[in-house]
């Protein structure tokens, strides 16, 4: 398989440029991309060092140029990188230029993404959401369910915790979660303690085949991990969702980001961040 | 202040396009951007509905066009949006075209960002990292510190938990954290139980003024939240970091993403995801 070297460069965290670059690369199959992120390239010295590393890679593999995705607030860094012999893609300036023209304003060329005030507010909201979510993980406490934006329910190991935490961290959502255990699954009635919050419930389901794998890694050779046990639990949970009009998502082939943003969208949750 | 309407459109989560758009907008000060994300615009019907909403906004405010950042794998959705009367920015195709030329390949135009196998592996790593991090939050358990990629230390409310969770969720890092409490701060020696792991320690510090605010919201009028108490704790923790050669970051004016990616970079942690 063809191998291409890919670099993500940023004067900040590199999270945006990585995420954009990966979406672009996902459009090309049959190629092995070897990715490297260089974050906090925020001085001329670091930009030169990055360009030298890329140049060396370009010379070592003259038949296929390295691919560079970058975002710099300072344009002079861009021109250093452009001389590295790679295919370079300026992921920020490409959009800043038309916007500057539209707005009739000059860009500030300042590094960093947000104002301090908004940042402090966002930070506080995130911390509050995280505290809430950690204190209401896995049904350990239900005493502030009235404050929840959403309460995820599902069988053990169906992805409730990571999805709740992503909702809290990325969107500032108060996300509780409650595990449907054996005693909740003797019939398809909603557990008594959840009935007051039925409008906040959102179900997660998972393919029994996948569930048995996940549980098996945690507790090998247990009844808990057996396929027929997983099938029975998932089947009852699904009927419980249906009979109580609880919307649900199948986590089997989705990433945590996808689950969280689908739930945000589907449950019409407010955007806090 | 000028107000501009901004739309983020995606056939998937919208996380990438939002993050890119926000970085672009951050370059323009003195303008109030009213942002709206439309995710999962993955059918012609939804693309038309989105374009109609944007058109209505364009007509209502003819003096300033809406600004649209979008990513679609299917190009026909793009042309629907381009007719909405907004300033549109195609955040994916802009980079796919030159890359297709470079690689001599056609893009797949498939929605979704990753292969299933990699996705399943990433999911598992994330879950493992999250479980590890939640089980080793706030010093509650130290019995698997040997497996930690990093152990964050700092006084109470210095941002250890959100930073650890972000490291786990976003990068798959096993991040433990340990709170420096009064008994750890009677002198500047490293707490006995941490000495075996000194190479994994990373400090967090915070401005006492900010700490007193954060603690005050949690426990108003407590000794714990008083400014001189915060000053004394932070001061001792800083000397402890210095005397034991522990690298540290100041969390005061940084977002959780920035902290996590700086630590990843500074501590040279492996990239798992």
């Amino acid at each position: 398989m063809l191998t291409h070297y890919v670099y993500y460069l940023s004067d900040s965290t590199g999270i945006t440029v990585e995420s954009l670059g990966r979406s672009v690369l996902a459009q090309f199959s049959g190629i092995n991309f070897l990715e490297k992120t260089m974050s906090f390239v925020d001085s001329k010295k670091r930009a030169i060092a990055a360009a030298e590393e890329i140049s060396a890679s370009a010379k070592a593999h003259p038949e296929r140029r390295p691919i560079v995705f970058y975002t710099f607030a300072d344009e002079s860094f861009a021109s250093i990188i452009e001389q590295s012999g790679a295919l370079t893609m300026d992921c920020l300036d490409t959009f800043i230029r038309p916007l500057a023209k539209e707005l009739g304003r000059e860009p500030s060329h300042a590094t960093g993404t947000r104002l301090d005030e908004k940042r402090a507010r966002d930070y506080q909201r995130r911390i509050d959401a995280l505290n809430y979510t950690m204190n209401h993980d896995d049904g350990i406490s239900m005493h502030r369910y009235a404050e929840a934006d959403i309460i995820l329910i599902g069988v053990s190991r169906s992805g409730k915790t990571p999805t709740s935490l992503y909702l809290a961290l990325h969107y500032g959502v108060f996300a509780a979660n409650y595990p449907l255990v054996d005693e909740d699954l003797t019939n398809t009635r909603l557990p008594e303690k959840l009935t007051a919050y039925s409008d906040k419930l959102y179900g997660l389901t998972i393919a029994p085949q996948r569930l048995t794998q996940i549980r098996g890694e945690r507790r090998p050779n247990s009844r808990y991990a057996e396929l027929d046990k997983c099938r029975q639990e998932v089947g009852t949970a699904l009927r419980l969702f249906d009979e109580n009009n609880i919307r649900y998502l199948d986590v089997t082939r989705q990433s945590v980001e996808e689950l969280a943003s689908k739930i945000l969208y589907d449950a019409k949750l407010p955007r806090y961040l």
Side-chain angles (χ1 to χ4, degrees), chain A residues 100-111:
Chain A
K101 206 178 145 197
E102 179 81 10
L103 300 173
R105 301 271 179 125
E106 281 303 307
S108 67
H109 296 298
T111 312

Side-chain angles (χ1 to χ4, degrees), chain A residues 174-242:
Chain A
F174 279 35
N177 74 75
Y178 177 90
L180 295 171
V181 294
D182 285 342
E183 64 196 70
D184 300 314
L185 295 170
T186 54
N187 58 58
T188 57
R189 275 203 309 276
L190 200 59
E192 179 93 26
K193 41 204 165 188
L194 295 179
T195 50
Y197 311 104
S198 61
D199 55 325
K200 299 184 182 208
L201 301 179
Y202 201 100
L204 294 183
T205 188
I206 181 169
Q209 200 66 50
R210 177 85 185 110
L211 186 59
T212 189
Q213 278 173 8
I214 294 174
R215 289 184 172 184
E217 280 176 36
R218 187 137 167 129
R219 290 198 222 150
N221 307 315
S222 61
R223 172 72 187 133
Y224 168 78
E226 277 172 23
L227 181 58
D228 71 317
K229 169 81 172 129
C230 293
R231 264 201 198 114
Q232 174 258 313
E233 285 188 31
V234 168
T236 310
L238 275 173
R239 284 197 302 280
L240 186 151
F241 298 157
D242 280 335

Side-chain angles (χ1 to χ4, degrees), chain A residues 10-248:
Chain A
S10 167
D11 49 16
S12 181
T13 65
I15 292 172
T16 301
V17 70
E18 249 183 50
S19 149
L20 178 68
R22 286 180 173 179
S23 299
V24 172
L25 299 184
Q27 290 292 314
F28 299 94
S29 52
I31 299 177
N32 183 29
F33 294 110
L34 284 176
E35 301 160 279
K36 177 167 182 180
T37 300
M38 300 182 185
S39 46
F40 305 106
V41 180
D42 51 8
S43 66
K44 201 175 163 184
K45 199 177 144 193
R46 284 194 178 160
I48 292 172
E52 281 170 358
E53 181 173 338
I54 297 164
S55 282
S57 161
K59 277 174 198 142
H61 310 283
E63 73 288 2
R64 46 203 151 84
R65 288 197 288 176
I67 298 155
V68 179
F69 294 92
Y70 68 82
T71 56
F72 294 121
D74 183 329
E75 286 173 11
S76 71
F77 296 177
S79 51
I80 294 169
I81 300 302
E82 305 253 332
Q83 290 159 26
S84 65
L87 172 69
T88 58
M89 318 236 209
D90 186 335
C91 302
L92 212 48
D93 203 47
T94 306
F95 305 109
I96 289 175
R97 277 170 199 276
L99 194 53
K101 206 178 145 197
E102 179 81 10
L103 300 173
R105 301 271 179 125
E106 281 303 307
S108 67
H109 296 298
T111 312
T113 51
R114 272 178 286 184
L115 299 171
D116 274 345
E117 199 186 316
K118 169 151 170 55
R119 180 171 292 195
R121 214 166 52 226
D122 281 358
Y123 189 81
Q124 192 56 50
R125 175 75 206 183
R126 256 185 174 163
I127 302 294
D128 291 346
L130 259 189
N131 284 333
Y132 181 87
T133 293
M134 291 184 76
N135 291 331
H136 295 79
D137 181 46
D138 210 29
I140 41 179
S141 158
M142 307 174 64
H143 76 284
R144 283 170 57 210
Y145 268 17
E147 292 171 56
D149 292 305
I150 195 148
I151 302 165
L152 301 182
I153 64 176
V155 303
S156 169
R157 303 276 110 193
S158 58
K160 300 181 298 300
T161 297
T163 309
S164 304
L165 286 171
Y166 196 94
L167 281 166
L169 257 179
H170 196 87
Y171 297 114
V173 162
F174 279 35
N177 74 75
Y178 177 90
L180 295 171
V181 294
D182 285 342
E183 64 196 70
D184 300 314
L185 295 170
T186 54
N187 58 58
T188 57
R189 275 203 309 276
L190 200 59
E192 179 93 26
K193 41 204 165 188
L194 295 179
T195 50
Y197 311 104
S198 61
D199 55 325
K200 299 184 182 208
L201 301 179
Y202 201 100
L204 294 183
T205 188
I206 181 169
Q209 200 66 50
R210 177 85 185 110
L211 186 59
T212 189
Q213 278 173 8
I214 294 174
R215 289 184 172 184
E217 280 176 36
R218 187 137 167 129
R219 290 198 222 150
N221 307 315
S222 61
R223 172 72 187 133
Y224 168 78
E226 277 172 23
L227 181 58
D228 71 317
K229 169 81 172 129
C230 293
R231 264 201 198 114
Q232 174 258 313
E233 285 188 31
V234 168
T236 310
L238 275 173
R239 284 197 302 280
L240 186 151
F241 298 157
D242 280 335
E243 290 182 17
N244 297 279
N245 294 314
I246 296 168
R247 277 171 303 190
Y248 63 89

